Amino acid sequence: MSTHDSSSADDGGLVQLLLPDGERIADAGYDKWVADVDDDQLKSLYEDMVVVRRIDTEATALQRQGELGLWPPLIGQEAAQIGSGRTLRQDDFVFASYRENGVAYCRGVEYTDLLRVWRGHTHSGWNPYDINMAPSQVIIGSQTLHATGYALGCQQDGVDTVAISYFGDGATSQGDPNEAMVFAASFQAPVIFFCQNNQWAISEPVGLQARAPIASRAPGFGIPSMRVDGNDVLAVMAATRIALDRARSGNGPTYIEAVTYRMGPHTTSDDPSRYVDVLEREGWQAKDPISRLEAYLQSRGLLTDEFTGRVNATADDVAAKVREGCLGLEPPEPLSVFDHVYSEPTSWLERQKDEYVQYLQTFEGGQ
Ligand SMILES: Cc1ncc(C[n+]2csc(CCOP(=O)(O)OP(=O)(O)O)c2C)c(N)n1
Ligand SMILES: [Mg+2]
């Protein structure tokens, strides 16, 4: 395989198996990687995408109702996250950013664990070893180093576990992902660099920081790359399987650029109407990942009322559980914010804690 895999010439080498109107197109290089995806699996991928979008809208509503401090929506990126997340093995390990709630869903995260950080109840949402996914990383790009280090450990242990790191287009301008790629290539680490290019890094358009397709940078590090339509769940799945196969068979890292779009704000604190052109957003709306799979299912006679009714009922049920779990979280003991910052207390942390005790005492019933 060449260092820059792109058997589809469309749209500057973008790998596509499902066109925006739901037409399934053949691709000699990639078809075989999804040949086993039968009708039931297609329906299951659709259900996953509908459910994670629903989790996202519910969490956004909870934030708007004052129940969460902040929420980073994934809307528009469901195919990139489900298509890749569903291909991983349980023992593979995920290192992601704050936006990969769809991947966490694939890993089997408890719904409440998705929210507790954003309600200010904990430093971290879940036990990483329960779902083999590290807690969300907000320090942009640093999880690429963690993934590479973990992959090197797997290599040393002689196991065929793969580490996958998810990060954004903006993160590619940071040093960490570039340093991680140098290490991963040097030691042929079993790691996947999965860049969700959602076109924006807060209000910074991707074109400003990437003058050439992001995927084209990786071969310069000696890492093969693929540029896939990130709104095409089948193309994402095929690309991730290629990368997993390469890593498991001892052939080192792969870089995937999933070209997608952030349909919502950066976070609930952001107002994209101040910087996103309405026409740009409408253009991407027409490439929506869920409606394109819906159209494909329809063309295969799989989109029955019974099926969509069941999917919507599941999504309603999950949303109700998300809300219930969020509202049911017991407020933490205020001073617990100082716990687990370091394994050993430091003098300045103790000082901050004392100051906070005094502050709390200024309130009636303060501690
Ligand atoms: C090291 C670091 N620098 C800056 C920030 C502030 N920041 C938070 S999100 C973000 C943009 C990230 O964009 P991208 O990597 O494209 O990911 P996306 O949010 O689009 O998923 C920035 C600059 C940060 N969290 N960490
Ligand atoms: Mg981005």
Side-chain angles (χ1 to χ4, degrees):
M1 203 167 263
S2 69
T3 51
H4 189 95
D5 305 329
S6 55
S7 59
S8 300
D10 301 337
D11 201 359
L14 202 61
V15 179
Q16 279 186 316
L17 298 178
L18 268 187
L19 295 180
D21 64 3
E23 185 193 343
R24 172 76 165 87
I25 50 166
D27 186 303
Y30 288 84
D31 278 342
K32 62 175 177 287
W33 293 94
V34 287
D36 62 308
V37 179
D38 59 16
D39 289 352
D40 283 346
Q41 280 178 279
L42 282 174
K43 285 160 76 176
S44 164
L45 290 168
Y46 175 79
E47 176 179 314
D48 285 344
M49 292 203 286
V50 170
V51 170
V52 298
R53 181 169 288 189
R54 189 60 200 277
I55 292 174
D56 205 67
T57 15
E58 195 67 18
T60 301
L62 282 163
Q63 194 282 333
R64 296 299 187 226
Q65 290 158 1
E67 302 293 350
L68 296 177
L70 189 75
W71 179 253
L74 63 72
I75 188 158
Q77 299 178 217
E78 295 86 354
Q81 297 196 18
I82 298 299
S84 57
R86 279 291 174 224
T87 63
L88 304 177
R89 236 168 44 187
Q90 197 52 45
D91 64 310
D92 293 331
F93 212 103
V94 177
F95 295 84
S97 85
Y98 39 83
R99 210 180 292 290
E100 279 74 60
N101 297 304
V103 179
Y105 173 79
C106 294
R107 304 304 285 167
V109 73
E110 297 280 340
Y111 304 135
T112 313
D113 288 347
L114 283 176
L115 303 180
R116 59 177 81 242
V117 159
W118 307 109
R119 198 167 160 89
H121 277 226
T122 179
H123 294 307
S124 157
W126 55 80
N127 176 351
Y129 298 105
D130 284 348
I131 57 170
N132 284 346
M133 175 165 180
S136 310
Q137 183 56 261
V138 176
I139 312 300
I140 298 300
S142 58
Q143 69 274 24
T144 53
L145 292 170
H146 308 156
T148 302
Y150 191 92
L152 290 171
C154 295
Q155 193 181 52
Q156 293 293 315
D157 286 347
V159 293
D160 69 349
T161 300
V162 176
I164 179 166
S165 177
Y166 289 87
F167 52 95
D169 44 292
T172 65
S173 298
Q174 290 281 128
D176 287 359
N178 294 280
E179 290 161 19
M181 286 201 281
V182 170
F183 261 81
S186 298
F187 296 102
Q188 289 293 281
V191 60
I192 300 173
F193 295 100
F194 193 100
C195 175
Q196 283 178 90
N197 174 1
N198 65 6
Q199 312 301 319
W200 292 94
I202 313 184
S203 54
E204 188 102 335
V206 66
L208 205 59
Q209 39 191 326
R211 298 282 172 184
I214 289 172
S216 67
R217 295 181 189 172
F221 289 82
I223 299 179
S225 72
M226 291 171 269
R227 187 164 186 264
V228 302
D229 184 335
N231 287 1
D232 171 349
V233 73
L234 290 179
V236 172
M237 195 169 224
T240 315
R241 283 177 166 178
I242 290 171
L244 285 167
D245 182 65
R246 180 179 292 137
R248 283 201 216 294
S249 50
N251 292 313
T254 300
Y255 195 103
I256 297 172
E257 177 190 357
V259 180
T260 180
Y261 194 71
R262 194 197 76 203
M263 293 299 291
H266 171 68
T267 67
T268 46
S269 293
D270 174 43
D271 174 9
S273 70
R274 296 176 61 184
Y275 59 85
V276 174
D277 189 324
V278 174
L279 292 177
E280 174 187 296
R281 196 182 176 286
E282 282 175 8
W284 281 94
Q285 184 92 52
K287 303 184 203 171
D288 185 79
I290 296 185
S291 48
R292 103 170 49 180
L293 184 55
E294 201 166 86
Y296 182 48
L297 291 175
Q298 178 91 58
S299 72
R300 294 173 68 93
L302 299 171
L303 201 74
T304 62
D305 289 347
E306 189 272 325
F307 171 63
T308 50
R310 191 158 45 78
V311 169
N312 290 333
T314 303
D316 284 346
D317 183 51
V318 171
K321 289 195 172 98
V322 164
R323 175 167 290 269
E324 195 183 299
C326 175
L327 302 183
L329 280 169
E330 290 292 327
E333 198 277 309
L335 292 177
S336 67
V337 72
F338 294 96
D339 296 344
H340 311 301
V341 175
Y342 293 105
S343 56
E344 302 284 332
T346 63
S347 57
W348 60 266
L349 197 65
E350 289 292 326
R351 196 169 66 242
Q352 281 183 37
K353 189 172 177 178
D354 290 344
E355 284 171 11
Y356 193 48
V357 169
Q358 284 167 31
Y359 170 72
L360 291 173
Q361 280 167 351
T362 63
F363 297 95
E364 203 183 334
Q367 306 181 33

